[in-house]
Amino acid sequence: MHPLVRDLYKRAVFVGKDHPNGIEFVRQAWKKAIRERTIAYQDGQDPVQAEKELRKAVGKGRYAIREMIGVIQFKKFRTMKRRYGDRGYQVDANEEAERIKNACKDFDSVPKK
């Protein structure tokens, strides 16, 4: 296996840990894609042409990894938004102060051992 392809696969697996479909899905999909492409390079092509095509394919693979990162970040964003709501950056100071006071009262009412 060419070192660039091996590095690309390692990157894909590393990024795939957080993928919504799971690491096994990512691992199988990348193995399948890499094996399909390696068959095309075994036809006895001109080595210079094969190297150009390999580098072009690796570039497309790196683009796919960046897209995977975008999907993962979007998933995390949606999870955070679902978990904490759509309050944005505008927090009412009075409401926040009241919330902190109530939390302190609850903390003070806990019996100490």
Side-chain angles (χ1 to χ4, degrees), residues 43-103:
D43 295 338
Q45 289 179 334
D46 177 35
V48 175
Q49 184 66 26
E51 186 72 22
K52 284 182 182 179
E53 287 184 23
L54 177 82
R55 290 189 183 274
K56 186 184 253 186
V58 167
K60 289 180 181 178
R62 288 184 179 163
Y63 176 77
I65 289 174
R66 286 193 301 270
E67 288 295 316
M68 280 177 41
I69 291 171
V71 167
I72 292 166
Q73 288 175 342
F74 187 61
K75 175 196 157 209
K76 288 180 180 180
F77 168 76
R78 277 190 167 174
T79 302
M80 295 294 282
K81 188 172 181 181
R82 199 175 314 122
R83 189 175 295 158
Y84 299 111
D86 189 22
R87 293 173 63 174
Y89 293 106
Q90 298 175 358
V91 177
D92 184 26
N94 293 329
E95 181 183 316
E96 191 66 18
E98 192 64 34
R99 187 187 66 79
I100 292 171
K101 281 182 189 176
N102 291 336

Side-chain angles (χ1 to χ4, degrees), residues 4-21:
L4 288 174
V5 176
R6 188 178 325 117
D7 179 59
L8 186 67
Y9 178 73
K10 285 181 179 180
R11 288 180 191 207
V13 170
F14 183 75
V15 169
K17 290 179 197 173
D18 294 330
H19 196 272
N21 293 334

Side-chain angles (χ1 to χ4, degrees), residues 25-39:
F25 170 79
V26 172
R27 186 177 287 140
Q28 290 173 358
W30 276 85
K31 278 186 180 181
K32 181 181 175 187
I34 288 173
R35 287 183 181 144
E36 286 176 358
R37 296 294 297 178
T38 54
I39 293 170

